[in-house]
Amino acid sequence: MQTAPAIRVADLCFSWSDQGKLVLDHCSLVVPKGEFWMLLGTNGSGKSTLLRLLSGLAVPQSGMLEAGQPVGFVFQNPDHQLVMPTVGADVAFGLVSEKLSLSETRLRVEEALQAVNLVHLERRPIYALSGGQKQRVAIAGALARHCEVLLLDEPTALLDPDSQRDLVEQVRRLVKTRGLTALWVTHRLNELEFADGAFLLEQGQVVDQGDPLRLRERLA
């Protein structure tokens, strides 16, 4: 029996104002469970808006969207979402609502930091981290909450080439070893080699999808 997709969007419409132009115009896509897909498109095509809708940060005017819960969101600039003074405290912060015991919280934090190879930095101040390390802390926060779906909005935009490659390889590994599903927004065509599939968004609609290397050739 075929399993349900991790992300399903059908005829989704959204505008930032009641009478404004549609940012997403009957947008439809499906991301299979346990796969790493990328979302391409020019500025203003609706990529970031789609991620915000999937994460519950905005509500569509019409259409349908489903995403496996819980959902984790990694912003382009990690300084916009890391709020605690140290690495361990920030990863634990997202667990407050689950009302876990102290030992359960510590175990979740340690497991999440191990997954992104940052256990040795648990007590490190956030301000002392590199950009790539900060993004991995943000991902660890999602892993600690046992997120099924990971949404990443141009997470390498502010990183140097080495950190960029390290982060995309980390996410690829997490998808393949932990059963996560990831949807990653990018402008960097070289990142497509790590994806299982890709979508091309234009004027709020998916106009092409499938093999990421074919899409890279189309856009090169």
Side-chain angles (χ1 to χ4, degrees):
M1 185 175 67
Q2 189 174 12
T3 59
I7 298 172
R8 189 159 68 97
V9 175
D11 290 323
L12 190 67
C13 293
F14 179 81
S15 172
W16 287 107
S17 63
D18 292 338
Q19 304 299 322
K21 178 183 177 182
L22 288 175
V23 180
L24 293 169
D25 185 2
H26 297 281
C27 180
S28 299
L29 59 82
V30 170
V31 180
K33 280 187 177 180
E35 293 193 6
F36 184 13
W37 281 63
M38 293 190 175
L39 189 59
L40 310 166
T42 58
N43 290 332
S45 60
K47 304 183 302 299
S48 295
T49 298
L50 177 58
L51 260 59
R52 279 158 175 72
L53 289 164
L54 287 169
S55 66
L57 296 176
V59 179
Q61 272 80 20
S62 63
M64 182 278 299
L65 76 165
E66 298 174 344
Q69 299 296 318
V71 171
F73 197 126
V74 178
F75 291 80
Q76 180 182 112
N77 187 342
D79 290 333
H80 293 165
Q81 70 182 114
L82 303 182
V83 297
M84 300 300 285
T86 66
V87 169
D90 200 274
V91 175
F93 180 75
L95 298 173
V96 171
S97 63
E98 298 191 31
K99 298 180 179 179
L100 302 173
S101 68
L102 181 59
S103 60
E104 289 173 324
T105 298
R106 287 193 58 80
L107 180 61
R108 291 264 202 108
V109 170
E110 183 177 350
E111 288 177 343
L113 290 175
Q114 284 179 342
V116 296
N117 299 320
L118 288 181
V119 172
H120 61 295
L121 298 182
E122 182 175 356
R123 298 182 183 276
R124 181 72 59 87
I126 293 293
Y127 71 81
L129 301 178
S130 68
Q133 289 170 335
K134 288 179 181 179
Q135 290 293 42
R136 285 157 64 188
V137 173
I139 292 171
L143 296 177
R145 293 190 296 111
H146 292 172
C147 288
E148 291 189 18
V149 170
L150 193 58
L151 307 172
L152 305 104
D153 191 4
E154 295 194 67
T156 62
L158 304 178
L159 304 183
D160 62 71
D162 288 342
S163 298
Q164 168 204 345
R165 187 176 182 88
D166 178 67
L167 188 68
V168 69
E169 287 178 342
Q170 284 270 352
V171 172
R172 171 80 181 177
R173 180 180 59 79
L174 290 170
V175 168
K176 297 308 173 185
T177 60
R178 298 175 68 94
L180 283 173
T181 303
L183 182 58
W184 171 297
V185 171
T186 186
H187 280 108
R188 301 187 188 222
L189 298 182
N190 62 310
E191 294 177 350
L192 287 167
E193 67 180 277
F194 297 96
D196 295 307
F199 303 103
L200 177 60
L201 206 60
E202 289 182 3
Q203 298 182 344
Q205 296 181 336
V206 174
V207 297
D208 199 354
Q209 62 183 293
D211 179 43
L213 300 184
R214 179 182 61 78
L215 265 68
R216 183 172 70 178
E217 291 179 2
R218 169 177 174 166
L219 296 171

